[in-house]
Amino acid sequence: MNIHILLGPPGSGKGTQAKRLIGNFPLLHLSTGDILRDAVSKGTVLGQKVKTTMAEGKLVDDNTINGLVFDRLKGETQDVLFDGYPRTLQQAEALQVFIAQEGHQLGRVVNVEVPQEVLESRVVGRRVCSNAACGAIFHLETKPSQVSGVCDLCGSPLKHRSDDTSESFKQRMNEFNATFLPLLSFYKTSPGFVPFNGNRNSEDVFQSLLTLFTETH
C-alpha cells in the first residue's frame, strides 16, 4: 500500500482537492474527522473514549488519534490519501513507524502552499449551506451564490460560521503553525515531498495535482 498525504493550512483547499482526486485514481480518502466519526458510530473501545473526550470539549490526544488511524488501516490494501492527518510531529513519527512495520510505502507528501492573507480572505468570505445534508460551500467573491444568502443546490439559507472571522482565523493560524512547522520540517526530507502552489484557481490546482498523481500511479 502507498500512503499519500496532503498537507496545508486551513483554507488551502486540500480537502476539496482530495475529494476530486479520488474520482480519478484508485485512492481511499481518509480524514481524521471521518475516522473519528466512524469509530464513534461503531462503538469501538477507542470510539467510546473519543466520544467521551469530545463530549467534554477536549482535544483527542495524539496516541488515541494514531490508534484510530492504524486500526482503520489494518487489512487495507487500497492506496490511501490522507487529508488532515498527521497534524503533529508525534503523529508523523508514529505513522512512519507503522508504515515500516506493516511493509507499506510513503508516497507523495504534497504541501499546498497559500499566502496567509489569501487564506484569511478565503475563510472570512466563506458561506456554508445551513442544511447539513447538503453542506455546499460558497464564497462572497470567488464563488457567490446566484441568489444572495441562498444555496444554489438546495435552496437553504447560507450561514457565516462563527469561527470564520479574522480574529478566529489569526488565532487558528498561530495554533496551526506551532504544530505544523515541525511537521513540515520532518517531511521535507522525504523523497516524495512536493511543495505545491495552491494560490491559483481551483481548476488549475486540480489539473496540476492530476499530473502529479498520474506520475505516481
Side-chain angles (χ1 to χ4, degrees):
M1 180 204 303
N2 290 308
I3 294 178
H4 307 289
I5 300 170
L6 284 185
L7 300 175
S12 62
K14 62 184 184 300
T16 299
Q17 297 297 342
K19 291 175 183 176
R20 295 190 67 182
L21 282 171
I22 62 173
N24 291 266
F25 300 101
L27 293 167
L28 175 65
H29 175 212
L30 293 178
S31 70
T32 307
D34 292 338
I35 293 171
L36 287 171
R37 286 187 289 271
D38 182 61
V40 170
S41 67
K42 290 179 178 177
T44 64
V45 174
L46 282 176
Q48 290 294 328
K49 179 180 179 181
V50 167
K51 184 177 181 180
T52 301
T53 301
M54 294 171 66
E56 294 173 351
K58 299 177 182 177
L59 293 176
V60 180
D61 65 275
D62 284 342
N63 288 333
T64 301
I65 291 290
N66 290 331
L68 290 169
V69 170
F70 303 157
D71 279 352
R72 177 62 183 83
L73 292 179
K74 288 287 187 182
E76 187 61 59
T77 57
Q78 188 175 7
D79 285 359
V80 170
L81 177 63
F82 274 121
D83 153 35
Y85 177 87
R87 290 181 183 271
T88 68
L89 178 59
Q90 194 272 356
Q91 290 177 11
E93 291 172 338
L95 176 62
Q96 197 72 8
V97 172
F98 175 84
I99 288 173
Q101 289 176 341
E102 297 296 319
H104 302 317
Q105 297 291 328
L106 180 64
R108 294 291 190 188
V109 180
V110 182
N111 182 40
V112 182
E113 301 174 344
V114 181
Q116 184 160 327
E117 62 271 17
V118 175
L119 292 172
E120 183 174 353
S121 174
R122 288 181 180 181
V123 168
V124 173
R126 184 164 54 196
R127 297 295 183 270
V128 182
C129 180
S130 57
N131 178 3
C134 175
I137 299 175
F138 299 87
H139 192 277
L140 294 180
E141 297 177 3
T142 59
K143 188 185 175 183
S145 57
Q146 294 180 6
V147 178
S148 179
V150 178
C151 177
D152 291 348
L153 302 184
C154 71
S156 299
L158 298 179
K159 64 180 181 179
H160 187 205
R161 296 192 308 203
S162 59
D163 60 343
D164 282 351
T165 63
S166 292
E167 294 75 16
S168 294
F169 170 79
K170 289 182 173 66
Q171 181 178 346
R172 289 208 307 274
M173 283 302 299
N174 287 337
E175 295 170 355
F176 171 80
N177 285 328
T179 56
F180 181 71
L181 294 180
L183 177 67
L184 188 59
S185 295
F186 177 84
Y187 278 122
K188 276 185 175 179
T189 60
S190 168
F193 179 80
V194 180
F196 189 85
N197 178 16
N199 189 22
R200 297 173 285 168
N201 70 64
S202 180
E203 188 58 34
D204 286 346
V205 170
F206 178 61
Q207 291 302 323
S208 294
L209 284 171
L210 276 180
T211 300
L212 186 62
F213 278 86
T214 297
E215 296 169 359
T216 304
H217 286 75

